[in-house]
Amino acid sequence: MKMRILIVEDERAIADLINMNLTRVGFACDWAHNGKQGADYIETNKYDLVLLDIMLPEISGYELMEYIRPMKIPVIFITAKGSVKDKVKGLRMGADDYLVKPFSIDELIARVESVLRRYHKGMQVVHVLDIQIDTLSRTVMQNKKIIHLTHKEYDLLYYLVQNQNIALYRETIYEKIWEDSEYRETRTVDLHIQRLRKKLNWNEYIKTIFKIGYMLEVKS
Ligand code: CA
C-alpha cells in the first residue's frame, strides 16, 4: 500500500501544491484545512506522516501536536515562522523536522523521505521469493536488476506480498488497490495480475483461485 500522509494546512494553495507533488512521487495524501479536522482524520485513518502547519485558526499546530505525539506518528512542522525560537519549540515538542515557507518542492520531498526512512529503518526492505521490495523508494529488484512496475502493479504486488498464502477476492483486491468501493471491472485486476506474472516470471507463484481470485503462494 502507498504511504499515507496527512496535510494540515489552512491555505488551500499550499495544501494543493504539497498534495500534488507528494501524490506525483507515489504517496497518498489527505488534506485537513484546520486543526479540528486534522484531529478527526488522525482518529479515523492511519497515517505514516503528518505535515503540520503551525499557524492554524482555532486549534494551532502546536496544540494539535500535543494530540498527535502519543500516537507516535512522525510529524514535520510547516510554517512561515522561521525564527530559531519557533524551530526549537517545534522540535522540543517532538516534531521530527521543520520546513519553513517558502520551501522548494525538492526540499519537501527530501525531508518527507528522510523522516520516513528514519522511522522505517529495518522494515524498509522486504524479501519474498526471488525479489526484494524497497517500500520507501517503491523499487523491486530481481536478480540484481530493477523490475519496472507501474504504480498500480507495485501496489498490487505489495498487497499480494502482505497477504501471502491467503486467497484474495478480486473484489477485495480491486477495492484496496483502486481505492474504489464500487467493484466494476473484473478485467482490471486480471490484466494487472497477468502483467505482474509476466514481469516477475511468477506464473507458478501467483495462483488463480477458482471462483475467488488470486493468491501469492510462498512456501516456507
Ligand atoms: Ca497557516
Side-chain angles (χ1 to χ4, degrees), residues 13-217:
I14 295 173
D16 281 350
L17 185 75
I18 295 172
N19 192 340
M20 191 181 78
N21 284 285
L22 291 180
T23 305
R24 178 176 56 86
V25 295
F27 294 103
C29 298
D30 289 330
W31 173 41
H33 60 264
N34 61 42
K36 193 192 162 295
Q37 196 182 32
D40 287 346
Y41 278 14
I42 289 163
E43 205 175 43
T44 45
N45 302 309
K46 198 190 158 294
Y47 291 103
D48 297 291
L49 181 103
V50 179
L51 287 166
L52 182 56
D53 185 24
I54 290 176
M55 301 286 277
L56 293 165
E58 294 160 52
I59 302 172
S60 78
Y62 290 134
E63 285 164 320
L64 187 58
M65 182 69 206
E66 297 282 0
Y67 178 77
I68 301 173
R69 190 161 42 181
M71 301 178 184
K72 309 257 181 270
I73 307 168
V75 172
I76 299 178
F77 270 128
I78 298 185
T79 183
K81 293 170 143 193
S83 80
V84 176
K85 213 176 102 216
D86 290 326
K87 211 177 254 189
V88 170
K89 184 174 178 188
L91 295 172
R92 277 223 180 104
M93 289 188 77
D96 295 89
D97 209 341
Y98 209 98
L99 265 171
V100 178
K101 294 179 201 170
F103 48 81
S104 73
I105 290 306
D106 288 344
E107 188 187 3
L108 166 77
I109 293 168
R111 285 184 190 263
V112 164
E113 288 184 341
S114 126
V115 167
L116 287 173
R117 203 169 289 131
R118 254 184 276 152
Y119 261 77
H120 294 265
K121 237 183 207 162
M123 53 184 273
Q124 185 187 332
V125 178
V126 178
H127 297 262
V128 61
L129 298 166
D130 58 351
I131 64 163
Q132 291 166 37
I133 305 173
D134 185 318
T135 56
L136 203 57
S137 61
R138 295 168 58 93
T139 48
V140 176
M141 303 276 288
Q142 190 179 44
N143 303 323
K144 291 175 186 157
K145 272 189 287 186
I146 288 186
I147 306 296
H148 294 282
L149 301 178
T150 64
H151 277 317
K152 291 298 182 206
E153 285 166 359
Y154 174 88
D155 289 344
L156 176 59
L157 171 64
Y158 194 54
Y159 185 64
L160 290 172
V161 167
Q162 283 181 309
N163 293 282
Q164 54 188 258
N165 300 321
I166 298 171
L168 300 165
Y169 284 93
R170 274 190 188 78
E171 291 86 341
T172 313
I173 296 173
Y174 185 81
E175 283 165 15
K176 288 282 177 198
I177 308 304
W178 278 267
E179 289 171 14
D180 193 337
S181 56
E182 224 178 302
Y183 176 67
R184 294 187 207 96
E185 249 185 297
T186 326
R187 295 296 302 158
T188 308
V189 174
D190 299 330
L191 182 72
H192 281 76
I193 289 281
Q194 283 165 24
R195 300 287 300 161
L196 265 188
R197 277 181 176 148
K198 193 168 167 219
K199 285 187 179 184
L200 299 171
N201 197 18
W202 270 19
N203 279 324
E204 60 173 308
Y205 302 125
I206 303 176
K207 308 263 187 213
T208 302
I209 310 295
F210 183 62
K211 283 191 175 170
I212 294 181
Y214 297 99
M215 179 174 85
L216 175 63
E217 191 176 71

